[in-house]
């Protein structure tokens, strides 16, 4: 049966290894439900620079635009580190987010009971952590103008990035934040730096205004430096966090410590007509090519794709449950292994999860 068109962009490094496992999981869901998935591969990032001289070839962009959803791996690696930011693999992803208007990035971070010991933090700190970071994705420092490097007459260089937000940009991500919080514990924490940045002062003002539309959600404000401490000190105090692009980038990586590993963290980028789903982690050059990367972040991302783009909520729940089942059985990739657990590589973990998904139907 012809069905949902999924653009698959594995990218570089471990992106090439974990994305196929997520595709296998979706294929399994397709077989079990009779829902058709058409997967079409696109080239992006460093691989695209090597093949076409650009990190986001027009054919890949076209494929994404016409798809119902995008499953993304990771981009980047040492081979392309010498390039200037505008030519690097990561630029391909930034353009994709911007062009598809994917302004809201949802990053859940959960400390699952069986992985409490995978976190370097004390059990008493991480146990019960279940939070969602809503990161603004198409504004702020990563896109603001002016940007670039200028040189004065004496050859001294000055580099500029600009943090800028319009009220409209803040309003729309704020609404996503409130909406997400409303479906969770109805507590929204807005993270800013309003004691120093005028951008943050506007951010806070708009958040307060939008909060009037969501009287059932409690809003509080935390400064980003304080939030960075609280995330590893008292993470259970948070439910939903909404913040600007760079703060969200940094804080959600910090949240990896709570979940045990970067290899556990999925994300959904929403806003425009096509959603993009990808692990929070990068191409992990230190372990790429060894078949040991954790595919769970990619598989959880596929579950988010089912949930948010295809409205297959029960199937998304089944995939999540299947992953937990395999973890309960004691299987671990190296990044989340602890004494007494059974070691699995990327493919083996994929096999186990595919089997567990089949058992859910
Ligand atoms: P990274 O996320 O690739 O790796 C950080 C650490 O986490 C490494 O020790 C790595 O081995 C580990 N890790 C990551 N994914 C894992 C997985 N699935 N299983 C087990 N361990 C995993 O971050 P980095 O090393 O700072 O960046 C490497 C490259 O990736 C850089 O070129 C960077 O620009 C790029 N990057 C891309 C994205 C993206 O594509 N969205 C995001 C972040 C970084």
């Amino acid at each position: 049966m012809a069905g949902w068109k999924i653009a698959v962009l594995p990218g570089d490094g471990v992106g090439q290894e974990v994305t196929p496992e997520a595709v296998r999981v979706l294929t399994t869901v397709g077989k079990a439900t009779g829902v058709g998935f058409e997967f079409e591969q696109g080239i992006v990032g460093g691989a695209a620079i090597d093949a076409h001289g650009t990190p986001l070839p027009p054919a890949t962009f076209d494929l994404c635009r016409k798809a119902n959803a995008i499953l993304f791996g990771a981009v980047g690696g040492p081979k392309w580190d010498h390039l200037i930011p505008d030519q690097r693999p990561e630029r391909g992803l930034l353009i994709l987010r911007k062009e598809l208007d994917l302004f809201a990035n949802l990053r859940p971070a959960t400390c699952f009971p069986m992985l409490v010991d995978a976190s370097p933090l004390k059990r008493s700190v991480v146990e019960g952590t279940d939070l969602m970071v809503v990161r603004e994705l198409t504004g702020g420092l990563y896109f603001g103008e002016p940007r670039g490097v200028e040189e004065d007459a004496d050859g001294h260089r000055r580099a500029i990035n600009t943090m800028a937000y319009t009220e409209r940009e803040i309003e729309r991500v704020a609404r996503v934040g409130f909406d997400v919080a409303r479906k969770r514990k109805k507590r929204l924490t807005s993270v800013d730096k309003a004691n120093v940045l005028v951008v943050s002062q506007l951010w806070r003002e708009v958040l307060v205004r939008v909060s009037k539309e969501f009287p059932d959600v409690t809003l509080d404000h935390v400064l980003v430096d304080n939030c960075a401490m609280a995330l590893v000190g008292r993470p259970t105090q948070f439910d939903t966090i909404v913040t600007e692009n760079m703060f969200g980038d940094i804080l959600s990586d910090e949240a990896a410590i709570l979940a045990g590993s970067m290899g556990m963290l999925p994300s959904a980028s929403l806003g425009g007509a096509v959603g993009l789903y990808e692990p929070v982690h990068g191409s992990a050059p230190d372990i790429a090519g060894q078949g040991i990367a954790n595919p769970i972040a990619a598989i959880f991302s596929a579950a988010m794709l089912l949930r948010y783009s295809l409205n297959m909520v029960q199937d998304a729940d089944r995939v999540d449950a299947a992953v937990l089942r395999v973890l309960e059985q004691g299987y671990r990739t190296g990044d989340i292994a602890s004494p007494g657990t059974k070691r699995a590589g990327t493919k083996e973990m994929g096999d186990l999860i595919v089997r567990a998904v089949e058992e859910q139907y």
Side-chain angles (χ1 to χ4, degrees), residues 103 136 164-178 190 198-210 242 244:
F103 64 83
E136 202 290 330
Y165 272 105
T166 63
E167 285 189 278
R168 196 184 91 79
E169 285 172 321
I170 303 171
E171 262 167 29
R172 62 184 190 172
V173 74
R175 286 202 180 91
V176 174
F178 279 106
S190 169
V198 289
V199 173
S200 286
Q201 285 157 7
L202 181 66
W203 178 277
R204 200 175 272 215
E205 194 188 305
V206 172
L207 262 286
V208 170
R209 192 170 71 219
V210 174
V242 63
E244 69 89 45

Side-chain angles (χ1 to χ4, degrees), residues 83-152:
L83 297 170
I84 59 165
D86 279 355
Q87 292 170 6
R88 286 170 67 119
E90 293 82 349
R91 196 75 200 154
L93 180 57
L94 293 183
I95 297 169
L96 205 48
R97 289 170 176 166
K98 187 79 176 173
E99 290 299 317
L100 296 175
D101 213 12
L102 301 172
F103 64 83
N105 187 213
L106 272 52
R107 297 183 164 201
T110 309
C111 177
F112 296 111
M114 66 295 266
L115 291 187
V116 169
D117 294 326
S119 171
L121 297 177
K122 283 188 203 142
R123 171 179 283 268
S124 59
V125 172
V126 290
E127 203 161 35
T129 298
D130 177 9
L131 58 90
M132 175 76 90
V133 179
V134 178
R135 166 189 171 196
E136 202 290 330
L137 206 56
T138 53
L141 265 181
Y142 297 179
F143 293 97
E145 298 285 345
R147 63 205 298 272
V149 182
E150 49 185 41
E151 200 169 308
D152 68 14

Side-chain angles (χ1 to χ4, degrees), residues 14 18 72-78 81 88 90 93 97 261-263 278-287 292-295 335:
V14 297
V18 295
F72 195 95
V75 286
D81 276 351
R88 286 170 67 119
E90 293 82 349
L93 180 57
R97 289 170 176 166
S261 164
M262 292 289 279
E278 57 167 332
V280 167
H281 65 73
S283 57
D286 53 336
I287 58 164
I292 59 171
N294 186 349
D335 56 318

Side-chain angles (χ1 to χ4, degrees), residues 199-265:
V199 173
S200 286
Q201 285 157 7
L202 181 66
W203 178 277
R204 200 175 272 215
E205 194 188 305
V206 172
L207 262 286
V208 170
R209 192 170 71 219
V210 174
S211 73
K212 309 281 188 277
E213 299 167 25
F214 300 84
D216 53 325
V217 178
T218 312
L219 171 69
D220 63 352
H221 307 274
V222 177
L223 295 174
V224 62
D225 36 357
N226 191 357
C227 182
M229 279 196 299
L231 259 186
V232 285
R234 284 168 293 126
T236 52
Q237 81 176 65
F238 296 106
D239 176 46
T240 307
I241 291 174
V242 63
T243 191
E244 69 89 45
N245 202 342
M246 186 180 67
F247 297 164
D249 190 1
I250 297 169
L251 294 176
S252 57
D253 270 25
E254 189 186 352
I257 295 293
L258 308 168
S261 164
M262 292 289 279
M264 293 298 297
L265 296 184

